[in-house]
Amino acid sequence: MHPPIKKIVLPVAGLGTRFLPATKAIPKEMLPVLDKPLIQYAVEEALEAGIEDIILVTGRNKQVMEDHFDHAYELEKILQEKGKEDALEIARSMLLEEGRISYVRQMRPLGLGHAIWCARKLVNEHPFAVALPDDLIKGKPGALKQMVEAYNELGGNMVATMNVAREDTSKYGVITPGAHSGNRIAVEGLVEKPHPDDAPSTQAVVGRYILQPEVMDHLNKKAVGAGGEIQLTDAMAKLIGSQPFHAIEFEGQRFDCGSKIGWLMANLSFAAEDPAMADQIRQLIKFR
Ligand code: UTP
């Protein structure tokens, strides 16, 4: 039996420069795909995987996210008075029991690894999951559930991966693959944003992880890596060899909603599956 995954860290403190000016006053994780903000998709995916404690690493403009997961008394009262029961139910749908969502502040955006390190006191001595909400994954079951199921058998550390074109390896963390078993791949090495000529494979890490608490010891060193940032990939790489480390080639479709094209494609893809919109969307795409 491996210790269960009950906590997740959701880093939401990035600057979101690729989405300016939309992200000037709101975090990019509040951008909606159809009618739901990205952060809500991530929390729902975590709950589906049986995760209980949600830890948000926030930066500037955090208040709007706290509000999203809290009562909106004025709105709820008005909806009640107007008898808008359906809208009221939606407005209340993301109210978790008090104490299950915690917020910790990353005071300077020094990189993803640094954001995760900011949650060390809340993670404590437990293995934990990480999801980057701007990596939206459409999967049934969700990517986190697929990973938690694999973790329950294999233990250790885990990253979600997908096969990318070789010219794109410089946008991702990339694994050195070892033995395969179905969609599970032993990880023998990890490198952040390798040049296509140097990439050890085309299996790229996307924003879902299961990590052992020892990763915090390596993040504690605050080593600066690719792009001048404290990289999670570098700290994870240090665990390889001393703890089990696997990649899960997840089933599902991933959208990079930190980029305009990825966000747009996510909207189209979700809309095409919504009976209320599917016909219009399909016609629009055909028409163009
Ligand atoms: P990105 O690499 O997408 O960076 O972060 P970014 O700053 O958010 O966006 P751009 O590149 O300027 O457009 C990946 C994830 O890591 C979080 C982000 O919020 C996102 O979920 N992150 C990144 C932090 O929480 N803190 C950081 O210092 C950096």
Side-chain angles (χ1 to χ4, degrees):
M1 264 292 273
H2 305 287
I5 304 299
K6 293 292 172 198
K7 292 175 186 262
I8 188 162
V9 179
L10 302 174
V12 293
L15 293 178
T17 52
R18 286 169 293 162
F19 245 111
L20 281 168
T23 48
K24 190 175 167 196
I26 56 161
K28 89 176 145 183
E29 292 77 10
M30 284 304 288
L31 293 175
V33 166
L34 296 193
D35 50 4
K36 257 195 278 181
L38 290 169
I39 187 68
Q40 184 168 335
Y41 286 98
V43 170
E44 287 176 355
E45 192 183 317
L47 297 178
E48 181 203 9
I51 290 169
E52 291 173 2
D53 298 332
I54 315 284
I55 302 164
L56 265 67
V57 182
T58 64
R60 61 200 183 94
N61 307 324
K62 72 165 182 170
Q63 197 183 327
V64 66
M65 271 189 277
E66 290 196 8
D67 289 346
H68 185 72
F69 292 106
D70 196 357
H71 278 287
Y73 287 110
E74 202 181 46
L75 174 66
E76 288 175 37
K77 188 163 172 284
I78 296 169
L79 294 176
Q80 215 151 22
E81 282 165 5
K82 288 183 181 289
K84 293 190 179 280
E85 294 300 326
D86 291 353
L88 185 62
E89 201 175 314
I90 294 170
R92 286 180 173 161
S93 62
M94 262 290 114
L95 296 173
L96 302 189
E97 187 191 1
E98 279 102 332
R100 285 183 62 186
I101 305 195
S102 317
Y103 302 87
V104 61
R105 187 108 171 183
Q106 184 190 26
M107 291 158 74
R108 289 169 300 159
L110 298 180
L112 174 59
H114 181 256
I116 303 303
W117 177 80
C118 290
R120 68 199 177 284
K121 300 282 183 194
L122 295 173
V123 163
N124 234 322
E125 295 304 308
H126 303 279
F128 61 102
V130 172
L132 310 189
D134 55 347
D135 263 348
L136 179 56
I137 300 180
K138 203 162 73 173
K140 276 198 174 83
L144 283 170
K145 190 171 163 80
Q146 295 175 38
M147 291 173 79
V148 166
E149 281 171 3
Y151 165 86
N152 288 340
E153 286 176 42
L154 301 168
N157 302 276
M158 230 160 242
V159 286
T161 58
M162 64 180 193
N163 204 28
V164 297
R166 184 158 276 276
E167 64 261 32
D168 287 337
T169 53
S170 56
K171 298 182 195 154
Y172 297 92
V174 175
I175 67 163
T176 305
H180 281 59
S181 168
N183 70 341
R184 299 164 186 190
I185 309 168
V187 174
E188 295 185 346
L190 263 172
V191 54
E192 185 63 31
K193 298 188 173 56
H195 187 278
D197 294 341
D198 306 325
S201 74
T202 52
Q203 278 293 321
V205 177
V206 302
R208 300 289 183 277
Y209 314 79
I210 288 178
L211 298 170
Q212 297 300 313
E214 288 77 15
V215 75
M216 296 295 186
D217 301 336
H218 297 294
L219 289 171
N220 211 13
K221 294 177 189 134
K222 307 216 182 80
V224 172
E229 297 197 336
I230 299 172
Q231 295 287 356
L232 180 60
T233 302
D234 297 340
M236 290 192 303
K238 300 252 163 51
L239 299 174
I240 297 168
S242 61
Q243 296 181 341
F245 210 124
H246 291 89
I248 304 296
E249 210 178 351
F250 65 94
E251 277 180 40
Q253 199 176 358
R254 174 256 188 185
F255 300 95
D256 173 12
C257 291
S259 75
K260 279 173 264 199
I261 184 68
W263 175 82
L264 190 58
M265 284 167 73
N267 274 283
L268 290 173
S269 172
F270 278 71
E273 285 182 2
D274 184 325
M277 283 177 267
D279 285 351
Q280 287 179 61
I281 290 296
R282 293 217 163 90
Q283 272 190 11
L284 173 79
I285 294 170
K286 230 183 283 165
F287 176 69
R288 298 284 164 198

